[in-house]
Amino acid sequence: MVIDDSPILVPPSDIGTHLGRLLDNTEGTDVSFIIDDEAFPAHRAVLAARSPVFKAELFGSMAESTMPSIMMHDITPATFRTMLRFIYTDELPAEDEHQDTSTEMIQNLLVAADRYALDRLKFICSQKLWDKVSVDTVGTILACAETYNCQELKNKCIDFFVLEENFKQAVFTDGYVALVLKFPSIAAELKRRVRE
Amino acid sequence: MVIDDSPILVPPSDIGTHLGRLLDNTEGTDVSFIIDDEAFPAHRAVLAARSPVFKAELFGSMAESTMPSIMMHDITPATFRTMLRFIYTDELPAEDEHQDTSTEMIQNLLVAADRYALDRLKFICSQKLWDKVSVDTVGTILACAETYNCQELKNKCIDFFVLEENFKQAVFTDGYVALVLKFPSIAAELKRRVRE
């Protein structure tokens, strides 16, 4: 008989799956976010663990309140729902026909990720925006990268922009005009790089 | 110029690290476990997400209590501390000289994992116990696998036990005697397998 000395295999980490279920069944929620008459119940402990901004907000003055309701004005329900799902599961929903994966939606998510200091979500948004970079979008996405401190995305956009075949088209987009108006320093860098 | 079309790399999931920090700084805890005069503050949402048993206990009758203190009698502080760390981080502490990794400690952890239905922790304990199987320990570990429904560990222990060079020594251990007294069905299976 051959001895079976293979190890016992341990399944992969399921902590995100577990927290995702907690979010779904809403049991034990102790805070609620209200956006456009839609309520998002959540657990302060999870939010605080994942976001230093939520931690400061929820364990500060509201700590004693039994079930605070927080009105949110600067975020859409769809963006908040996706961010909340990410906070609990460390993943974005799978991309399918029902999922809005437009550049605008990802930019909105990046704004929220920056607002709540969700660094890993910022990387994911940067990755998805980089997939969408074209001569039509590079101006807008570069402005977004600069605004929300996505250094790697910014560098890649600049490298893409200054290629002659891209540059000759990208400068005629509205996104480029908005970029140079808002960020003269980037305009200067593009100029310097194109002349090299 | 070469186009850099490499993707932007996203760091690995950090949800366990975040929850581990939440456990360390004890902010926002809303339940406390008392074992031998030692207090372990924790967050009900995290415990309930990870363990259906904690979920039933903490979101049942105690749900309305502001900060319940729960006396625990059937677990040691060291075992509870390790289990709590696993619940938050999905990992066991790294093995070093300060860490008790005795067979007894792992068995205690398996008892707790079974009690709170932490299936992945049961796999980890099974894996660690399998590493400790020898002619001296196989009887005790087999009884443990049977008691706590670790099927893979049980099958591997039986395969190990019935090898002639192991069998001739293992039957003289106290662990074997305790095993056959407690589980006659396993004794019957070992007998059948040895005669094959």
Side-chain angles (χ1 to χ4, degrees), chain A residues 83-110:
Chain A
M83 181 180 77
L84 200 57
R85 174 73 39 190
F86 175 84
I87 287 174
Y88 279 69
T89 65
D90 229 5
E91 286 178 355
L92 291 187
E95 291 183 17
D96 60 27
E97 68 235 63
H98 305 296
Q99 193 63 31
D100 180 2
T101 56
S102 66
T103 306
E104 191 189 349
M105 178 66 199
I106 300 166
Q107 284 178 321
N108 288 342
L109 199 54
L110 175 59

PDB file of all heavy atoms in Angstrom, chain A residues 83-110:
ATOM      1  N   MET A  83     -19.903  50.826  -3.637  1.00  0.00           N
ATOM      2  CA  MET A  83     -18.839  51.047  -2.651  1.00  0.00           C
ATOM      3  C   MET A  83     -19.077  50.204  -1.401  1.00  0.00           C
ATOM      4  O   MET A  83     -18.155  49.604  -0.848  1.00  0.00           O
ATOM      5  CB  MET A  83     -18.757  52.530  -2.283  1.00  0.00           C
ATOM      6  CG  MET A  83     -17.636  52.809  -1.283  1.00  0.00           C
ATOM      7  SD  MET A  83     -17.495  54.563  -0.819  1.00  0.00           S
ATOM      8  CE  MET A  83     -18.868  54.742   0.317  1.00  0.00           C
ATOM      9  N   LEU A  84     -20.322  50.162  -0.950  1.00  0.00           N
ATOM     10  CA  LEU A  84     -20.663  49.402   0.254  1.00  0.00           C
ATOM     11  C   LEU A  84     -20.349  47.927   0.044  1.00  0.00           C
ATOM     12  O   LEU A  84     -19.762  47.266   0.910  1.00  0.00           O
ATOM     13  CB  LEU A  84     -22.154  49.602   0.565  1.00  0.00           C
ATOM     14  CG  LEU A  84     -22.637  49.320   1.979  1.00  0.00           C
ATOM     15  CD1 LEU A  84     -21.893  50.151   3.009  1.00  0.00           C
ATOM     16  CD2 LEU A  84     -24.146  49.591   2.071  1.00  0.00           C
ATOM     17  N   ARG A  85     -20.724  47.413  -1.132  1.00  0.00           N
ATOM     18  CA  ARG A  85     -20.438  46.006  -1.475  1.00  0.00           C
ATOM     19  C   ARG A  85     -18.925  45.764  -1.445  1.00  0.00           C
ATOM     20  O   ARG A  85     -18.454  44.768  -0.902  1.00  0.00           O
ATOM     21  CB  ARG A  85     -21.033  45.711  -2.852  1.00  0.00           C
ATOM     22  CG  ARG A  85     -20.740  44.377  -3.476  1.00  0.00           C
ATOM     23  CD  ARG A  85     -21.444  43.188  -2.879  1.00  0.00           C
ATOM     24  NE  ARG A  85     -22.805  43.436  -2.503  1.00  0.00           N
ATOM     25  CZ  ARG A  85     -23.549  42.596  -1.787  1.00  0.00           C
ATOM     26  NH1 ARG A  85     -23.055  41.438  -1.376  1.00  0.00           N
ATOM     27  NH2 ARG A  85     -24.778  42.907  -1.430  1.00  0.00           N
ATOM     28  N   PHE A  86     -18.160  46.707  -1.960  1.00  0.00           N
ATOM     29  CA  PHE A  86     -16.697  46.565  -1.945  1.00  0.00           C
ATOM     30  C   PHE A  86     -16.165  46.562  -0.505  1.00  0.00           C
ATOM     31  O   PHE A  86     -15.278  45.779  -0.159  1.00  0.00           O
ATOM     32  CB  PHE A  86     -16.016  47.690  -2.736  1.00  0.00           C
ATOM     33  CG  PHE A  86     -14.524  47.626  -2.619  1.00  0.00           C
ATOM     34  CD1 PHE A  86     -13.779  46.790  -3.440  1.00  0.00           C
ATOM     35  CD2 PHE A  86     -13.857  48.362  -1.646  1.00  0.00           C
ATOM     36  CE1 PHE A  86     -12.411  46.688  -3.298  1.00  0.00           C
ATOM     37  CE2 PHE A  86     -12.485  48.266  -1.497  1.00  0.00           C
ATOM     38  CZ  PHE A  86     -11.760  47.431  -2.325  1.00  0.00           C
ATOM     39  N   ILE A  87     -16.688  47.446   0.321  1.00  0.00           N
ATOM     40  CA  ILE A  87     -16.223  47.517   1.711  1.00  0.00           C
ATOM     41  C   ILE A  87     -16.399  46.167   2.408  1.00  0.00           C
ATOM     42  O   ILE A  87     -15.512  45.709   3.133  1.00  0.00           O
ATOM     43  CB  ILE A  87     -16.980  48.641   2.466  1.00  0.00           C
ATOM     44  CG1 ILE A  87     -16.462  50.011   1.993  1.00  0.00           C
ATOM     45  CG2 ILE A  87     -16.862  48.485   3.979  1.00  0.00           C
ATOM     46  CD1 ILE A  87     -17.240  51.191   2.556  1.00  0.00           C
ATOM     47  N   TYR A  88     -17.508  45.511   2.163  1.00  0.00           N
ATOM     48  CA  TYR A  88     -17.785  44.232   2.825  1.00  0.00           C
ATOM     49  C   TYR A  88     -17.051  43.055   2.179  1.00  0.00           C
ATOM     50  O   TYR A  88     -16.656  42.132   2.876  1.00  0.00           O
ATOM     51  CB  TYR A  88     -19.293  43.952   2.833  1.00  0.00           C
ATOM     52  CG  TYR A  88     -20.044  44.676   3.938  1.00  0.00           C
ATOM     53  CD1 TYR A  88     -20.205  46.059   3.913  1.00  0.00           C
ATOM     54  CD2 TYR A  88     -20.595  43.988   5.012  1.00  0.00           C
ATOM     55  CE1 TYR A  88     -20.881  46.723   4.920  1.00  0.00           C
ATOM     56  CE2 TYR A  88     -21.282  44.643   6.025  1.00  0.00           C
ATOM     57  CZ  TYR A  88     -21.432  46.005   5.976  1.00  0.00           C
ATOM     58  OH  TYR A  88     -22.101  46.656   6.980  1.00  0.00           O
ATOM     59  N   THR A  89     -16.929  43.059   0.851  1.00  0.00           N
ATOM     60  CA  THR A  89     -16.426  41.852   0.177  1.00  0.00           C
ATOM     61  C   THR A  89     -15.017  41.996  -0.395  1.00  0.00           C
ATOM     62  O   THR A  89     -14.408  40.998  -0.786  1.00  0.00           O
ATOM     63  CB  THR A  89     -17.344  41.471  -1.003  1.00  0.00           C
ATOM     64  OG1 THR A  89     -17.274  42.528  -1.990  1.00  0.00           O
ATOM     65  CG2 THR A  89     -18.785  41.299  -0.545  1.00  0.00           C
ATOM     66  N   ASP A  90     -14.503  43.222  -0.464  1.00  0.00           N
ATOM     67  CA  ASP A  90     -13.210  43.506  -1.105  1.00  0.00           C
ATOM     68  C   ASP A  90     -13.242  43.222  -2.602  1.00  0.00           C
ATOM     69  O   ASP A  90     -12.189  43.025  -3.217  1.00  0.00           O
ATOM     70  CB  ASP A  90     -12.069  42.719  -0.457  1.00  0.00           C
ATOM     71  CG  ASP A  90     -10.891  43.645  -0.127  1.00  0.00           C
ATOM     72  OD1 ASP A  90     -11.028  44.863  -0.316  1.00  0.00           O
ATOM     73  OD2 ASP A  90      -9.853  43.156   0.336  1.00  0.00           O
ATOM     74  N   GLU A  91     -14.422  43.164  -3.173  1.00  0.00           N
ATOM     75  CA  GLU A  91     -14.540  42.935  -4.616  1.00  0.00           C
ATOM     76  C   GLU A  91     -15.599  43.859  -5.199  1.00  0.00           C
ATOM     77  O   GLU A  91     -16.515  44.280  -4.504  1.00  0.00           O
ATOM     78  CB  GLU A  91     -15.015  41.497  -4.895  1.00  0.00           C
ATOM     79  CG  GLU A  91     -13.951  40.460  -4.662  1.00  0.00           C
ATOM     80  CD  GLU A  91     -14.465  39.060  -4.897  1.00  0.00           C
ATOM     81  OE1 GLU A  91     -15.683  38.903  -5.157  1.00  0.00           O
ATOM     82  OE2 GLU A  91     -13.659  38.134  -4.794  1.00  0.00           O
ATOM     83  N   LEU A  92     -15.496  44.100  -6.501  1.00  0.00           N
ATOM     84  CA  LEU A  92     -16.599  44.749  -7.200  1.00  0.00           C
ATOM     85  C   LEU A  92     -17.509  43.669  -7.762  1.00  0.00           C
ATOM     86  O   LEU A  92     -17.068  42.548  -8.003  1.00  0.00           O
ATOM     87  CB  LEU A  92     -16.064  45.638  -8.323  1.00  0.00           C
ATOM     88  CG  LEU A  92     -15.296  46.881  -7.860  1.00  0.00           C
ATOM     89  CD1 LEU A  92     -14.974  47.763  -9.065  1.00  0.00           C
ATOM     90  CD2 LEU A  92     -16.098  47.680  -6.835  1.00  0.00           C
ATOM     91  N   PRO A  93     -18.789  43.982  -7.961  1.00  0.00           N
ATOM     92  CA  PRO A  93     -19.693  42.994  -8.558  1.00  0.00           C
ATOM     93  C   PRO A  93     -19.152  42.558  -9.917  1.00  0.00           C
ATOM     94  O   PRO A  93     -18.494  43.340 -10.607  1.00  0.00           O
ATOM     95  CB  PRO A  93     -21.012  43.764  -8.727  1.00  0.00           C
ATOM     96  CG  PRO A  93     -20.899  44.963  -7.849  1.00  0.00           C
ATOM     97  CD  PRO A  93     -19.453  45.274  -7.717  1.00  0.00           C
ATOM     98  N   ALA A  94     -19.418  41.316 -10.288  1.00  0.00           N
ATOM     99  CA  ALA A  94     -19.004  40.826 -11.603  1.00  0.00           C
ATOM    100  C   ALA A  94     -19.629  41.700 -12.688  1.00  0.00           C
ATOM    101  O   ALA A  94     -20.756  42.175 -12.535  1.00  0.00           O
ATOM    102  CB  ALA A  94     -19.441  39.376 -11.770  1.00  0.00           C
ATOM    103  N   GLU A  95     -18.871  41.907 -13.755  1.00  0.00           N
ATOM    104  CA  GLU A  95     -19.382  42.737 -14.849  1.00  0.00           C
ATOM    105  C   GLU A  95     -20.353  41.923 -15.701  1.00  0.00           C
ATOM    106  O   GLU A  95     -20.008  40.876 -16.215  1.00  0.00           O
ATOM    107  CB  GLU A  95     -18.219  43.246 -15.708  1.00  0.00           C
ATOM    108  CG  GLU A  95     -17.356  44.256 -14.959  1.00  0.00           C
ATOM    109  CD  GLU A  95     -16.240  44.818 -15.824  1.00  0.00           C
ATOM    110  OE1 GLU A  95     -16.308  44.691 -17.045  1.00  0.00           O
ATOM    111  OE2 GLU A  95     -15.290  45.391 -15.248  1.00  0.00           O
ATOM    112  N   ASP A  96     -21.561  42.375 -15.818  1.00  0.00           N
ATOM    113  CA  ASP A  96     -22.525  41.732 -16.713  1.00  0.00           C
ATOM    114  C   ASP A  96     -23.413  42.814 -17.311  1.00  0.00           C
ATOM    115  O   ASP A  96     -23.176  44.013 -17.115  1.00  0.00           O
ATOM    116  CB  ASP A  96     -23.359  40.674 -15.981  1.00  0.00           C
ATOM    117  CG  ASP A  96     -24.150  41.265 -14.821  1.00  0.00           C
ATOM    118  OD1 ASP A  96     -24.471  42.472 -14.866  1.00  0.00           O
ATOM    119  OD2 ASP A  96     -24.449  40.537 -13.881  1.00  0.00           O
ATOM    120  N   GLU A  97     -24.430  42.418 -18.013  1.00  0.00           N
ATOM    121  CA  GLU A  97     -25.221  43.426 -18.731  1.00  0.00           C
ATOM    122  C   GLU A  97     -25.979  44.360 -17.783  1.00  0.00           C
ATOM    123  O   GLU A  97     -26.349  45.460 -18.160  1.00  0.00           O
ATOM    124  CB  GLU A  97     -26.199  42.751 -19.707  1.00  0.00           C
ATOM    125  CG  GLU A  97     -27.313  41.983 -19.025  1.00  0.00           C
ATOM    126  CD  GLU A  97     -27.371  40.536 -19.493  1.00  0.00           C
ATOM    127  OE1 GLU A  97     -26.387  39.798 -19.268  1.00  0.00           O
ATOM    128  OE2 GLU A  97     -28.391  40.143 -20.050  1.00  0.00           O
ATOM    129  N   HIS A  98     -26.218  43.881 -16.539  1.00  0.00           N
ATOM    130  CA  HIS A  98     -26.961  44.724 -15.599  1.00  0.00           C
ATOM    131  C   HIS A  98     -26.049  45.715 -14.868  1.00  0.00           C
ATOM    132  O   HIS A  98     -26.515  46.585 -14.147  1.00  0.00           O
ATOM    133  CB  HIS A  98     -27.674  43.858 -14.557  1.00  0.00           C
ATOM    134  CG  HIS A  98     -28.566  42.830 -15.183  1.00  0.00           C
ATOM    135  ND1 HIS A  98     -29.658  43.171 -15.940  1.00  0.00           N
ATOM    136  CD2 HIS A  98     -28.509  41.480 -15.179  1.00  0.00           C
ATOM    137  CE1 HIS A  98     -30.254  42.062 -16.374  1.00  0.00           C
ATOM    138  NE2 HIS A  98     -29.572  41.025 -15.935  1.00  0.00           N
ATOM    139  N   GLN A  99     -24.745  45.524 -15.020  1.00  0.00           N
ATOM    140  CA  GLN A  99     -23.801  46.299 -14.243  1.00  0.00           C
ATOM    141  C   GLN A  99     -23.346  47.507 -15.068  1.00  0.00           C
ATOM    142  O   GLN A  99     -22.895  47.352 -16.196  1.00  0.00           O
ATOM    143  CB  GLN A  99     -22.603  45.393 -13.907  1.00  0.00           C
ATOM    144  CG  GLN A  99     -21.693  45.942 -12.856  1.00  0.00           C
ATOM    145  CD  GLN A  99     -22.386  46.092 -11.520  1.00  0.00           C
ATOM    146  OE1 GLN A  99     -23.283  45.341 -11.200  1.00  0.00           O
ATOM    147  NE2 GLN A  99     -22.012  47.091 -10.756  1.00  0.00           N
ATOM    148  N   ASP A 100     -23.463  48.677 -14.473  1.00  0.00           N
ATOM    149  CA  ASP A 100     -22.996  49.885 -15.150  1.00  0.00           C
ATOM    150  C   ASP A 100     -21.481  49.976 -15.005  1.00  0.00           C
ATOM    151  O   ASP A 100     -20.971  50.170 -13.913  1.00  0.00           O
ATOM    152  CB  ASP A 100     -23.678  51.118 -14.533  1.00  0.00           C
ATOM    153  CG  ASP A 100     -23.222  52.407 -15.211  1.00  0.00           C
ATOM    154  OD1 ASP A 100     -22.423  52.351 -16.163  1.00  0.00           O
ATOM    155  OD2 ASP A 100     -23.693  53.481 -14.777  1.00  0.00           O
ATOM    156  N   THR A 101     -20.765  49.777 -16.102  1.00  0.00           N
ATOM    157  CA  THR A 101     -19.303  49.869 -16.039  1.00  0.00           C
ATOM    158  C   THR A 101     -18.821  51.001 -16.946  1.00  0.00           C
ATOM    159  O   THR A 101     -17.721  50.949 -17.485  1.00  0.00           O
ATOM    160  CB  THR A 101     -18.649  48.543 -16.486  1.00  0.00           C
ATOM    161  OG1 THR A 101     -19.137  48.228 -17.797  1.00  0.00           O
ATOM    162  CG2 THR A 101     -18.968  47.436 -15.526  1.00  0.00           C
ATOM    163  N   SER A 102     -19.664  52.019 -17.095  1.00  0.00           N
ATOM    164  CA  SER A 102     -19.275  53.164 -17.910  1.00  0.00           C
ATOM    165  C   SER A 102     -18.121  53.907 -17.240  1.00  0.00           C
ATOM    166  O   SER A 102     -17.900  53.782 -16.028  1.00  0.00           O
ATOM    167  CB  SER A 102     -20.460  54.114 -18.056  1.00  0.00           C
ATOM    168  OG  SER A 102     -20.784  54.672 -16.802  1.00  0.00           O
ATOM    169  N   THR A 103     -17.419  54.674 -18.041  1.00  0.00           N
ATOM    170  CA  THR A 103     -16.327  55.482 -17.513  1.00  0.00           C
ATOM    171  C   THR A 103     -16.847  56.406 -16.413  1.00  0.00           C
ATOM    172  O   THR A 103     -16.191  56.579 -15.377  1.00  0.00           O
ATOM    173  CB  THR A 103     -15.700  56.316 -18.651  1.00  0.00           C
ATOM    174  OG1 THR A 103     -15.325  55.432 -19.704  1.00  0.00           O
ATOM    175  CG2 THR A 103     -14.470  57.061 -18.170  1.00  0.00           C
ATOM    176  N   GLU A 104     -18.052  56.951 -16.620  1.00  0.00           N
ATOM    177  CA  GLU A 104     -18.611  57.871 -15.628  1.00  0.00           C
ATOM    178  C   GLU A 104     -18.859  57.167 -14.294  1.00  0.00           C
ATOM    179  O   GLU A 104     -18.555  57.692 -13.223  1.00  0.00           O
ATOM    180  CB  GLU A 104     -19.923  58.455 -16.160  1.00  0.00           C
ATOM    181  CG  GLU A 104     -20.430  59.607 -15.313  1.00  0.00           C
ATOM    182  CD  GLU A 104     -21.837  60.031 -15.715  1.00  0.00           C
ATOM    183  OE1 GLU A 104     -22.333  59.586 -16.768  1.00  0.00           O
ATOM    184  OE2 GLU A 104     -22.450  60.788 -14.936  1.00  0.00           O
ATOM    185  N   MET A 105     -19.401  55.945 -14.350  1.00  0.00           N
ATOM    186  CA  MET A 105     -19.669  55.190 -13.122  1.00  0.00           C
ATOM    187  C   MET A 105     -18.369  54.901 -12.374  1.00  0.00           C
ATOM    188  O   MET A 105     -18.290  55.044 -11.158  1.00  0.00           O
ATOM    189  CB  MET A 105     -20.386  53.882 -13.486  1.00  0.00           C
ATOM    190  CG  MET A 105     -20.681  52.985 -12.289  1.00  0.00           C
ATOM    191  SD  MET A 105     -21.885  53.736 -11.149  1.00  0.00           S
ATOM    192  CE  MET A 105     -21.567  52.790  -9.650  1.00  0.00           C
ATOM    193  N   ILE A 106     -17.327  54.519 -13.123  1.00  0.00           N
ATOM    194  CA  ILE A 106     -16.050  54.214 -12.471  1.00  0.00           C
ATOM    195  C   ILE A 106     -15.434  55.484 -11.894  1.00  0.00           C
ATOM    196  O   ILE A 106     -14.855  55.467 -10.805  1.00  0.00           O
ATOM    197  CB  ILE A 106     -15.089  53.519 -13.457  1.00  0.00           C
ATOM    198  CG1 ILE A 106     -15.711  52.209 -13.943  1.00  0.00           C
ATOM    199  CG2 ILE A 106     -13.748  53.232 -12.794  1.00  0.00           C
ATOM    200  CD1 ILE A 106     -15.010  51.620 -15.149  1.00  0.00           C
ATOM    201  N   GLN A 107     -15.585  56.590 -12.604  1.00  0.00           N
ATOM    202  CA  GLN A 107     -15.088  57.857 -12.053  1.00  0.00           C
ATOM    203  C   GLN A 107     -15.828  58.217 -10.764  1.00  0.00           C
ATOM    204  O   GLN A 107     -15.229  58.670  -9.797  1.00  0.00           O
ATOM    205  CB  GLN A 107     -15.251  58.970 -13.093  1.00  0.00           C
ATOM    206  CG  GLN A 107     -14.198  58.904 -14.197  1.00  0.00           C
ATOM    207  CD  GLN A 107     -14.396  59.967 -15.255  1.00  0.00           C
ATOM    208  OE1 GLN A 107     -15.521  60.281 -15.647  1.00  0.00           O
ATOM    209  NE2 GLN A 107     -13.306  60.535 -15.723  1.00  0.00           N
ATOM    210  N   ASN A 108     -17.137  58.028 -10.763  1.00  0.00           N
ATOM    211  CA  ASN A 108     -17.910  58.294  -9.539  1.00  0.00           C
ATOM    212  C   ASN A 108     -17.420  57.424  -8.383  1.00  0.00           C
ATOM    213  O   ASN A 108     -17.335  57.868  -7.237  1.00  0.00           O
ATOM    214  CB  ASN A 108     -19.396  58.016  -9.775  1.00  0.00           C
ATOM    215  CG  ASN A 108     -20.037  59.054 -10.664  1.00  0.00           C
ATOM    216  OD1 ASN A 108     -19.496  60.143 -10.841  1.00  0.00           O
ATOM    217  ND2 ASN A 108     -21.177  58.719 -11.248  1.00  0.00           N
ATOM    218  N   LEU A 109     -17.107  56.177  -8.704  1.00  0.00           N
ATOM    219  CA  LEU A 109     -16.632  55.252  -7.679  1.00  0.00           C
ATOM    220  C   LEU A 109     -15.259  55.683  -7.163  1.00  0.00           C
ATOM    221  O   LEU A 109     -14.980  55.595  -5.964  1.00  0.00           O
ATOM    222  CB  LEU A 109     -16.573  53.842  -8.283  1.00  0.00           C
ATOM    223  CG  LEU A 109     -16.542  52.652  -7.338  1.00  0.00           C
ATOM    224  CD1 LEU A 109     -17.699  52.679  -6.350  1.00  0.00           C
ATOM    225  CD2 LEU A 109     -16.570  51.355  -8.151  1.00  0.00           C
ATOM    226  N   LEU A 110     -14.430  56.170  -8.061  1.00  0.00           N
ATOM    227  CA  LEU A 110     -13.111  56.666  -7.662  1.00  0.00           C
ATOM    228  C   LEU A 110     -13.250  57.881  -6.736  1.00  0.00           C
ATOM    229  O   LEU A 110     -12.517  57.997  -5.746  1.00  0.00           O
ATOM    230  CB  LEU A 110     -12.293  57.028  -8.901  1.00  0.00           C
ATOM    231  CG  LEU A 110     -10.924  57.666  -8.667  1.00  0.00           C
ATOM    232  CD1 LEU A 110     -10.031  56.748  -7.835  1.00  0.00           C
ATOM    233  CD2 LEU A 110     -10.249  57.999  -9.993  1.00  0.00           C
TER     234      LEU A 110
END
